[in-house]
């Protein structure tokens, strides 16, 4: 059957069949949603692909599990650069902290005078997409303490 011969009822029938395979209401995500949120939605709803819709509900694209995984498979060097420029430069300017990233695990070393900074640094580093874990091997003014 050529495209010009389809009627609205033909399309509705095909749509109804397709809709029968789609969850209702549709499981979607907005383009500005964090990657972690999209991954949680996919895991909870047990879907492999997620339609990306804008504010008015128009389809902008589809995100797959493999698309989401690419974010978390960032090279260690890329993670180091983002942590140095986005986290340490803003939260701990002038603090001499050494850190290393290996397989997505960040190990922070060095002296910290303000202990209140420790949970803030840990939270900010964990928020960097691709970071798997954060280990704190920090020295306090009193002596060496592992946080």
């Amino acid at each position: 059957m050529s495209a010009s011969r389809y009627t609205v009822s033909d399309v509705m029938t095909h749509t109804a069949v397709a809709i029968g395979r789609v969850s209702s209401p549709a499981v979607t995500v907005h383009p500005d949603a964090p990657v972690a949120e999209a991954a949680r939605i996919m895991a909870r709803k047990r879907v492999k692909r997620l339609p990306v819709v804008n504010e008015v509900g128009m389809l902008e694209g589809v995100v797959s599990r493999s698309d989401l995984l690419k974010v978390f498979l960032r090279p260690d060097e890329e993670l180091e650069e983002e942590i140095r420029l986005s986290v340490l430069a803003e939260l701990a300017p002038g603090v001499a902290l050494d850190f290393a990233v290996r397989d997505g695990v960040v190990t922070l070393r060095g002296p910290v005078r303000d202990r209140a900074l420790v949970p803030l640094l840990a939270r900010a580093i964990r928020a960097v997409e691709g970071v798997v874990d954060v280990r704190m091997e920090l020295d306090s003014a009193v002596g060496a303490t592992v946080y």
Side-chain angles (χ1 to χ4, degrees):
M1 186 180 263
S2 72
S4 61
R5 293 190 156 176
Y6 279 103
T7 65
V8 172
S9 63
D10 290 328
V11 175
M12 287 175 40
T13 303
H14 295 292
T15 303
V17 170
I19 288 174
R21 295 183 183 141
V22 175
S23 60
S24 179
V27 179
T28 62
V29 67
H30 291 278
D32 58 346
V35 171
E37 180 183 335
R40 278 192 296 277
I41 291 169
M42 293 174 87
R44 286 183 186 142
K45 299 295 184 174
R46 296 184 177 160
V47 295
K48 295 179 182 178
R49 290 176 189 81
L50 202 54
V52 180
V53 296
N54 62 21
E55 307 80 37
V56 295
M58 296 293 294
L59 182 67
E60 290 194 5
V62 176
V63 65
S64 68
R65 288 181 183 176
S66 64
D67 293 332
L68 298 179
L69 282 175
K70 288 176 190 173
V71 172
F72 293 104
L73 299 175
R74 294 173 65 187
D76 291 341
E77 297 79 19
E78 191 177 309
L79 293 173
E80 284 179 14
E81 183 177 358
E82 183 171 344
I83 291 165
R84 185 178 295 103
L85 298 175
S86 299
V87 178
L88 297 180
E90 292 185 24
L91 287 179
V95 177
L97 289 175
D98 182 34
F99 75 99
V101 181
R102 182 156 190 225
D103 297 328
V105 177
V106 179
T107 303
L108 208 55
R109 296 180 184 93
V112 175
R113 292 184 188 173
D114 184 2
R115 292 183 66 135
L117 188 60
V118 174
L120 296 174
L121 283 170
R123 193 173 307 121
I125 292 171
R126 279 190 183 96
V128 173
E129 291 181 345
V131 170
V132 176
D133 194 15
V134 178
R135 296 187 182 146
M136 300 290 208
E137 297 175 4
L138 303 173
D139 299 329
S140 65
V142 177
T145 306
V146 176
Y147 296 94

